[in-house]
Amino acid sequence: MSPAPTPESSRPGDRIAKLLARAGIASRREVERMIAEGRVALDGQVLTTPATVLTSLHGVTVDGNPVAAPAPARLFRFHKPAGLLTTERDPAGRPTIYDTLPKGLPRLMPVGRLDLSTEGLLLMTTDGELKRQLELPATGVERSYRARAYGQVSQEQLEELMLGVEIEGVRYGSINANLERRTGANVWIELTLTEGKNREVRRVLEHLGLKVSRLIRTRYGPFELADMPVGAVDEIRQHDLIVFRKALTGPGGGKAASNLHLSGKSKAIDAPPEAAPADPAATPPANRAERRKASAQISEPEAYKPARPQRPKAEKKGPEKFGVGQRRRHQAKTQRQANPAPFGAGQAEGQRRPRPATAEGTVRPGRNPRPDAPGRSAPASGKPFAKPSAPRHAQHDDDGSPLLDRPKRAGPTDRRPTAAPGKRPPTGKGGPTRPPRGTPAPGKRGPRS
């Protein structure tokens, strides 16, 4: 027999579904189904209505197990990728955020919802009261988004959203929108609002004639997305959460709490026993950078994000670490070590093989001798393979051939006119040579003797 439900106004307390949800047993709707199935009891008596108001969970059992006192609230950040539903299960079988969350986390409830195609920051908590407090529009916690939309819009049109807008009978509150930049036919717009109604950003921008192609939530209250990788999860430090909740209930409410400057440091969750490191004496990394490096070597439950495969650096070995010249010398050295016979028995490394001696005056055939070509004779001294000096030009020889100095003989085909008498004949190629210096010209006297 279930105890009679007590009116909520007669004594302080909360409904049992709310208390069990705050304790992390299940959501309120799930707790109501559990009560209808007779799985929840109070002091041994099965409850039949979720309207029971209690001040504590003392004496409450679920499936025969006593419910522990609610633990302190915990808050997590999750970078939701596009294509996931913000729900625990989907009747159509579509992927949800719980399919990608790492194992080993406590039962988490999303703070608000993000659409299937919306990505960005999603807060998740273990406390139902904190979840509700963050979601209520009356609290005034700010949410910031970055939207990429197709179309034309001016800053004056965006500033009119500060006064609110009514679309199809739904009134949307004040929105602080700024035109960030233009990229071709697309525009990036930054929006900050406090209500967060269903598809509010998309409907407001579509009302302005824009078509949203990408929507990212970048901030929820004082908690920012920053450079958090897609699909990663971390926990807000308990000190920052306590400061935020105090500011939330203090003067200024959500406006003051949203402008807090917290440490921004994330807290790593201890690994479960089955995923603990093999060396228990090893101390955990102190900073976040070392934890990221260590996450690639531990199991998935401890690492909040899937570890990227670490490709080993290519290590050059052997001749590959040399340059072109060094590689050739290395190959020659390897050949000499493998087959030293062609280089001589007593030959030192790096020396040429001596050529056989040639007697003076003997003829040494060329590399490819021809039967009609005379052989080369080795010089008596000097370098054995020195090139012979080039012959001097004929016109510089004392007894050179007069071919270059001999005038061209006039032939029958030479039609050039002859020089007139009494004039100097033309000189140059094909004409008579210039008389030597000192010879008097025709018709003139020479120098006196």
Short mmCIF file of all heavy atoms in Angstrom, two decimals, residues 179-217:
data_model
loop_
_atom_site.label_atom_id
_atom_site.label_comp_id
_atom_site.label_asym_id
_atom_site.label_seq_id
_atom_site.Cartn_x
_atom_site.Cartn_y
_atom_site.Cartn_z
N LEU A 179 27.54 41.28 -37.61
CA LEU A 179 28.06 40.75 -38.86
C LEU A 179 29.57 40.60 -38.72
O LEU A 179 30.30 41.58 -38.60
CB LEU A 179 27.71 41.69 -40.02
CG LEU A 179 28.02 41.19 -41.43
CD1 LEU A 179 27.22 39.94 -41.74
CD2 LEU A 179 27.72 42.28 -42.45
N GLU A 180 30.02 39.37 -38.74
CA GLU A 180 31.44 39.10 -38.51
C GLU A 180 32.26 39.32 -39.77
O GLU A 180 33.21 40.11 -39.79
CB GLU A 180 31.61 37.66 -37.99
CG GLU A 180 33.03 37.34 -37.55
CD GLU A 180 33.12 35.95 -36.96
OE1 GLU A 180 32.07 35.41 -36.54
OE2 GLU A 180 34.23 35.39 -36.93
N ARG A 181 31.95 38.62 -40.85
CA ARG A 181 32.68 38.81 -42.11
C ARG A 181 31.86 38.21 -43.24
O ARG A 181 30.90 37.47 -43.02
CB ARG A 181 34.07 38.14 -42.06
CG ARG A 181 34.04 36.62 -42.04
CD ARG A 181 35.45 36.06 -42.10
NE ARG A 181 35.48 34.62 -42.25
CZ ARG A 181 35.47 33.75 -41.26
NH1 ARG A 181 35.44 34.20 -40.03
NH2 ARG A 181 35.52 32.46 -41.49
N ARG A 182 32.27 38.53 -44.47
CA ARG A 182 31.64 37.99 -45.67
C ARG A 182 32.65 37.13 -46.41
O ARG A 182 33.82 37.49 -46.53
CB ARG A 182 31.15 39.12 -46.59
CG ARG A 182 30.09 40.01 -45.98
CD ARG A 182 29.66 41.09 -46.96
NE ARG A 182 28.71 42.01 -46.39
CZ ARG A 182 27.38 41.82 -46.39
NH1 ARG A 182 26.87 40.75 -46.96
NH2 ARG A 182 26.58 42.72 -45.84
N THR A 183 32.19 36.01 -46.91
CA THR A 183 33.01 35.12 -47.73
C THR A 183 32.22 34.78 -48.98
O THR A 183 31.45 33.81 -49.01
CB THR A 183 33.38 33.84 -46.96
OG1 THR A 183 32.17 33.20 -46.51
CG2 THR A 183 34.24 34.15 -45.76
N GLY A 184 32.40 35.60 -50.00
CA GLY A 184 31.65 35.39 -51.23
C GLY A 184 30.18 35.72 -51.02
O GLY A 184 29.80 36.80 -50.57
N ALA A 185 29.32 34.73 -51.32
CA ALA A 185 27.88 34.92 -51.14
C ALA A 185 27.44 34.55 -49.73
O ALA A 185 26.26 34.70 -49.40
CB ALA A 185 27.10 34.08 -52.16
N ASN A 186 28.34 34.07 -48.88
CA ASN A 186 28.00 33.69 -47.51
C ASN A 186 28.44 34.77 -46.54
O ASN A 186 29.36 35.55 -46.82
CB ASN A 186 28.67 32.36 -47.14
CG ASN A 186 28.16 31.20 -47.97
OD1 ASN A 186 26.99 31.14 -48.31
ND2 ASN A 186 29.03 30.28 -48.31
N VAL A 187 27.77 34.79 -45.39
CA VAL A 187 28.11 35.72 -44.31
C VAL A 187 28.23 34.92 -43.02
O VAL A 187 27.52 33.93 -42.80
CB VAL A 187 27.05 36.83 -44.16
CG1 VAL A 187 27.08 37.76 -45.34
CG2 VAL A 187 25.66 36.23 -43.97
N TRP A 188 29.17 35.35 -42.17
CA TRP A 188 29.32 34.78 -40.83
C TRP A 188 28.76 35.78 -39.83
O TRP A 188 29.15 36.94 -39.84
CB TRP A 188 30.78 34.49 -40.53
CG TRP A 188 31.30 33.22 -41.15
CD1 TRP A 188 31.93 33.09 -42.34
CD2 TRP A 188 31.20 31.91 -40.58
NE1 TRP A 188 32.25 31.76 -42.56
CE2 TRP A 188 31.81 31.02 -41.50
CE3 TRP A 188 30.66 31.39 -39.40
CZ2 TRP A 188 31.90 29.64 -41.26
CZ3 TRP A 188 30.75 30.04 -39.16
CH2 TRP A 188 31.36 29.17 -40.09
N ILE A 189 27.84 35.30 -38.99
CA ILE A 189 27.15 36.16 -38.03
C ILE A 189 27.36 35.58 -36.64
O ILE A 189 27.25 34.36 -36.43
CB ILE A 189 25.65 36.26 -38.35
CG1 ILE A 189 25.44 36.76 -39.79
CG2 ILE A 189 24.95 37.17 -37.37
CD1 ILE A 189 24.00 36.74 -40.23
N GLU A 190 27.64 36.45 -35.69
CA GLU A 190 27.79 36.06 -34.29
C GLU A 190 26.56 36.52 -33.52
O GLU A 190 26.20 37.71 -33.59
CB GLU A 190 29.06 36.65 -33.69
CG GLU A 190 29.31 36.19 -32.26
CD GLU A 190 30.60 36.77 -31.71
OE1 GLU A 190 31.22 37.60 -32.43
OE2 GLU A 190 30.98 36.41 -30.59
N LEU A 191 25.91 35.60 -32.82
CA LEU A 191 24.68 35.91 -32.10
C LEU A 191 24.81 35.51 -30.64
O LEU A 191 25.41 34.47 -30.32
CB LEU A 191 23.47 35.19 -32.72
CG LEU A 191 23.22 35.40 -34.22
CD1 LEU A 191 23.82 34.26 -35.02
CD2 LEU A 191 21.73 35.50 -34.51
N THR A 192 24.24 36.32 -29.76
CA THR A 192 24.20 36.04 -28.33
C THR A 192 22.76 36.24 -27.86
O THR A 192 22.17 37.31 -28.08
CB THR A 192 25.15 36.97 -27.55
OG1 THR A 192 26.48 36.79 -28.03
CG2 THR A 192 25.11 36.64 -26.07
N LEU A 193 22.20 35.21 -27.21
CA LEU A 193 20.82 35.26 -26.73
C LEU A 193 20.73 34.59 -25.37
O LEU A 193 21.69 33.98 -24.89
CB LEU A 193 19.89 34.58 -27.72
CG LEU A 193 20.32 33.18 -28.18
CD1 LEU A 193 19.27 32.17 -27.87
CD2 LEU A 193 20.61 33.20 -29.67
N THR A 194 19.59 34.73 -24.73
CA THR A 194 19.41 34.20 -23.38
C THR A 194 18.25 33.21 -23.28
O THR A 194 18.08 32.58 -22.23
CB THR A 194 19.15 35.35 -22.39
OG1 THR A 194 18.01 36.10 -22.82
CG2 THR A 194 20.36 36.27 -22.31
N GLU A 195 17.44 33.07 -24.32
CA GLU A 195 16.28 32.18 -24.23
C GLU A 195 16.62 30.77 -24.73
O GLU A 195 16.46 29.80 -24.00
CB GLU A 195 15.12 32.75 -25.04
CG GLU A 195 14.44 33.93 -24.37
CD GLU A 195 13.20 34.36 -25.12
OE1 GLU A 195 13.02 33.92 -26.27
OE2 GLU A 195 12.39 35.12 -24.55
N GLY A 196 17.05 30.65 -25.96
CA GLY A 196 17.39 29.34 -26.50
C GLY A 196 16.17 28.49 -26.80
O GLY A 196 16.15 27.30 -26.47
N LYS A 197 15.15 29.09 -27.44
CA LYS A 197 13.98 28.30 -27.81
C LYS A 197 14.31 27.34 -28.94
O LYS A 197 15.39 27.41 -29.54
CB LYS A 197 12.84 29.23 -28.22
CG LYS A 197 12.29 30.07 -27.08
CD LYS A 197 11.15 30.95 -27.54
CE LYS A 197 10.61 31.78 -26.39
NZ LYS A 197 9.50 32.67 -26.81
N ASN A 198 13.37 26.48 -29.25
CA ASN A 198 13.58 25.46 -30.27
C ASN A 198 13.87 26.10 -31.63
O ASN A 198 13.03 26.86 -32.15
CB ASN A 198 12.35 24.54 -30.36
CG ASN A 198 12.57 23.40 -31.33
OD1 ASN A 198 13.70 23.00 -31.59
ND2 ASN A 198 11.49 22.86 -31.86
N ARG A 199 15.05 25.84 -32.20
CA ARG A 199 15.47 26.34 -33.51
C ARG A 199 15.35 27.85 -33.60
O ARG A 199 14.97 28.41 -34.64
CB ARG A 199 14.67 25.66 -34.63
CG ARG A 199 14.78 24.15 -34.64
CD ARG A 199 13.93 23.55 -35.74
NE ARG A 199 14.35 24.02 -37.05
CZ ARG A 199 15.32 23.47 -37.78
NH1 ARG A 199 15.98 22.40 -37.31
NH2 ARG A 199 15.64 23.95 -38.97
N GLU A 200 15.68 28.53 -32.52
CA GLU A 200 15.50 29.98 -32.48
C GLU A 200 16.42 30.70 -33.47
O GLU A 200 15.98 31.57 -34.22
CB GLU A 200 15.74 30.50 -31.06
CG GLU A 200 15.60 32.00 -30.92
CD GLU A 200 15.73 32.46 -29.48
OE1 GLU A 200 15.82 31.60 -28.58
OE2 GLU A 200 15.74 33.68 -29.26
N VAL A 201 17.70 30.34 -33.47
CA VAL A 201 18.66 31.03 -34.35
C VAL A 201 18.31 30.81 -35.81
O VAL A 201 18.31 31.75 -36.62
CB VAL A 201 20.09 30.56 -34.03
CG1 VAL A 201 21.10 31.19 -34.99
CG2 VAL A 201 20.46 30.90 -32.59
N ARG A 202 17.99 29.59 -36.18
CA ARG A 202 17.68 29.31 -37.58
C ARG A 202 16.41 30.04 -38.04
O ARG A 202 16.36 30.58 -39.15
CB ARG A 202 17.52 27.80 -37.78
CG ARG A 202 18.82 27.01 -37.53
CD ARG A 202 18.60 25.54 -37.76
NE ARG A 202 19.80 24.77 -37.48
CZ ARG A 202 20.77 24.52 -38.37
NH1 ARG A 202 20.65 24.97 -39.60
NH2 ARG A 202 21.84 23.82 -38.03
N ARG A 203 15.40 30.06 -37.20
CA ARG A 203 14.15 30.70 -37.61
C ARG A 203 14.30 32.21 -37.71
O ARG A 203 13.72 32.84 -38.62
CB ARG A 203 13.05 30.35 -36.61
CG ARG A 203 12.62 28.88 -36.69
CD ARG A 203 11.55 28.55 -35.67
NE ARG A 203 11.11 27.17 -35.80
CZ ARG A 203 10.23 26.58 -34.99
NH1 ARG A 203 9.71 27.26 -33.97
NH2 ARG A 203 9.88 25.32 -35.18
N VAL A 204 15.09 32.80 -36.83
CA VAL A 204 15.28 34.25 -36.88
C VAL A 204 16.06 34.65 -38.13
O VAL A 204 15.72 35.62 -38.82
CB VAL A 204 15.99 34.75 -35.60
CG1 VAL A 204 16.43 36.19 -35.76
CG2 VAL A 204 15.05 34.62 -34.41
N LEU A 205 17.11 33.90 -38.46
CA LEU A 205 17.89 34.22 -39.66
C LEU A 205 17.10 33.93 -40.94
O LEU A 205 17.24 34.65 -41.94
CB LEU A 205 19.20 33.44 -39.64
CG LEU A 205 20.19 33.82 -38.53
CD1 LEU A 205 21.47 33.02 -38.65
CD2 LEU A 205 20.50 35.32 -38.56
N GLU A 206 16.29 32.89 -40.92
CA GLU A 206 15.44 32.64 -42.09
C GLU A 206 14.40 33.73 -42.26
O GLU A 206 13.99 34.04 -43.38
CB GLU A 206 14.77 31.27 -41.95
CG GLU A 206 15.72 30.09 -42.12
CD GLU A 206 15.05 28.77 -41.84
OE1 GLU A 206 13.83 28.80 -41.50
OE2 GLU A 206 15.71 27.71 -41.94
N HIS A 207 13.99 34.34 -41.16
CA HIS A 207 13.06 35.46 -41.23
C HIS A 207 13.69 36.66 -41.93
O HIS A 207 12.99 37.47 -42.56
CB HIS A 207 12.59 35.83 -39.82
CG HIS A 207 11.68 37.01 -39.77
ND1 HIS A 207 10.39 36.99 -40.24
CD2 HIS A 207 11.89 38.29 -39.31
CE1 HIS A 207 9.83 38.18 -40.07
NE2 HIS A 207 10.72 38.98 -39.50
N LEU A 208 15.03 36.78 -41.84
CA LEU A 208 15.76 37.86 -42.50
C LEU A 208 16.13 37.52 -43.94
O LEU A 208 16.83 38.31 -44.59
CB LEU A 208 17.02 38.22 -41.71
CG LEU A 208 16.81 38.73 -40.29
CD1 LEU A 208 18.15 38.98 -39.61
CD2 LEU A 208 15.96 40.00 -40.28
N GLY A 209 15.70 36.38 -44.44
CA GLY A 209 15.99 36.00 -45.81
C GLY A 209 17.29 35.26 -45.99
O GLY A 209 17.81 35.19 -47.11
N LEU A 210 17.82 34.69 -44.93
CA LEU A 210 19.09 33.96 -44.99
C LEU A 210 18.83 32.46 -44.87
O LEU A 210 17.85 32.03 -44.24
CB LEU A 210 20.03 34.40 -43.88
CG LEU A 210 20.41 35.89 -43.85
CD1 LEU A 210 21.26 36.19 -42.63
CD2 LEU A 210 21.13 36.28 -45.12
N LYS A 211 19.72 31.68 -45.47
CA LYS A 211 19.64 30.24 -45.39
C LYS A 211 20.87 29.75 -44.63
O LYS A 211 22.00 29.85 -45.12
CB LYS A 211 19.60 29.61 -46.79
CG LYS A 211 19.44 28.10 -46.76
CD LYS A 211 19.34 27.54 -48.18
CE LYS A 211 19.17 26.02 -48.13
NZ LYS A 211 19.09 25.45 -49.51
N VAL A 212 20.66 29.21 -43.43
CA VAL A 212 21.76 28.79 -42.56
C VAL A 212 22.32 27.47 -43.07
O VAL A 212 21.58 26.50 -43.25
CB VAL A 212 21.29 28.67 -41.10
CG1 VAL A 212 22.43 28.22 -40.21
CG2 VAL A 212 20.71 29.98 -40.61
N SER A 213 23.63 27.45 -43.30
CA SER A 213 24.30 26.23 -43.73
C SER A 213 25.17 25.62 -42.65
O SER A 213 25.53 24.44 -42.74
CB SER A 213 25.18 26.53 -44.96
OG SER A 213 26.14 27.53 -44.66
N ARG A 214 25.51 26.39 -41.63
CA ARG A 214 26.31 25.84 -40.53
C ARG A 214 26.05 26.68 -39.29
O ARG A 214 25.99 27.91 -39.36
CB ARG A 214 27.80 25.88 -40.87
CG ARG A 214 28.67 25.12 -39.87
CD ARG A 214 30.13 25.14 -40.29
NE ARG A 214 30.94 24.40 -39.35
CZ ARG A 214 32.28 24.33 -39.41
NH1 ARG A 214 32.93 24.95 -40.38
NH2 ARG A 214 32.95 23.63 -38.51
N LEU A 215 25.89 25.98 -38.15
CA LEU A 215 25.60 26.66 -36.88
C LEU A 215 26.45 26.01 -35.79
O LEU A 215 26.41 24.79 -35.60
CB LEU A 215 24.11 26.56 -36.55
CG LEU A 215 23.64 27.32 -35.30
CD1 LEU A 215 23.92 28.80 -35.43
CD2 LEU A 215 22.16 27.08 -35.04
N ILE A 216 27.20 26.84 -35.07
CA ILE A 216 28.13 26.37 -34.04
C ILE A 216 27.85 27.13 -32.76
O ILE A 216 27.83 28.37 -32.76
CB ILE A 216 29.60 26.58 -34.47
CG1 ILE A 216 29.84 26.02 -35.86
CG2 ILE A 216 30.56 25.96 -33.48
CD1 ILE A 216 31.18 26.40 -36.44
N ARG A 217 27.66 26.41 -31.67
CA ARG A 217 27.56 27.07 -30.37
C ARG A 217 28.96 27.20 -29.79
O ARG A 217 29.68 26.21 -29.62
CB ARG A 217 26.67 26.28 -29.41
CG ARG A 217 26.52 26.96 -28.05
CD ARG A 217 25.91 26.03 -27.03
NE ARG A 217 24.46 25.92 -27.20
CZ ARG A 217 23.70 25.04 -26.55
NH1 ARG A 217 24.26 24.16 -25.74
NH2 ARG A 217 22.40 25.00 -26.76
#
